[in-house]
């Protein structure tokens, strides 16, 4: 076989190896505590903008592993002020690189699919 046929495959393999190495290095430095703290700070900002009841604190947030939230979701961080109803607060779904997948304001129903 000609070597020219294998050059694109070798380049693709090198690019994929580089991307995998980069994501591995990024993932290595992320801990659950870092993610929870980051989204607790985001919760403070979201709570202040929303004008919801209760006083927001960093300690209002808890996280759990995402079992039923989807394949890409790593953690689900739920934040709710003390002394408020169960339907007040925010829920953040976080991927394995620490990125936000979805944010849900508790107590609000998600929008329905438009009907044509």
């Amino acid at each position: 076989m000609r070597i020219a046929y294998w050059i694109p495959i070798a380049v693709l393999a090198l690019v994929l190896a580089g991307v995998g190495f980069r994501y591995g290095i990024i993932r290595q430095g992320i801990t659950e505590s870092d993610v929870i703290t980051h989204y607790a700070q985001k919760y403070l900002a979201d709570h202040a903008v929303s004008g919801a009841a209760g006083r927001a604190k960093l300690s209002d947030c808890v996280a759990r592993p995402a079992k039923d939230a989807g394949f890409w979701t790593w953690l689900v961080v739920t934040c709710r002020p003390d002394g408020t109803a169960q339907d007040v607060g925010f829920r953040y779904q976080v991927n394995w690189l620490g990125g936000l997948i979805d944010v849900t304001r508790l107590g609000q129903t998600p929008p329905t699919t438009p009907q044509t």
Side-chain angles (χ1 to χ4, degrees), residues 39-101:
Y39 286 101
Q41 291 170 349
K42 181 167 176 38
Y43 158 69
L44 292 178
D46 290 345
H47 184 80
V49 170
S50 71
R55 182 176 171 159
K57 300 179 295 197
L58 284 177
S59 59
D60 292 341
C61 298
V62 295
R64 63 175 173 79
K67 294 184 179 176
D68 300 328
F71 178 74
W72 296 109
T73 306
W74 173 40
L75 289 174
V76 176
V77 181
T78 305
C79 301
R80 168 179 308 124
D82 287 337
T84 59
Q86 293 288 354
D87 60 348
V88 175
F90 293 88
R91 179 174 293 129
Y92 303 95
Q93 293 182 5
V94 183
N95 68 11
W96 60 279
L97 289 174
L100 181 64
I101 295 174

Side-chain angles (χ1 to χ4, degrees), residues 7-19:
I7 290 176
I9 294 172
V11 168
L12 179 64
L14 286 173
V15 168
L16 291 176
V19 169

Side-chain angles (χ1 to χ4, degrees), residues 17-46:
V19 169
F21 181 75
R22 179 177 176 268
Y23 281 144
I25 293 297
I26 290 171
R27 178 67 176 98
Q28 179 182 357
I30 296 175
T31 65
E32 290 179 357
S33 297
D34 294 337
V35 171
I36 295 167
T37 302
H38 174 76
Y39 286 101
Q41 291 170 349
K42 181 167 176 38
Y43 158 69
L44 292 178
D46 290 345

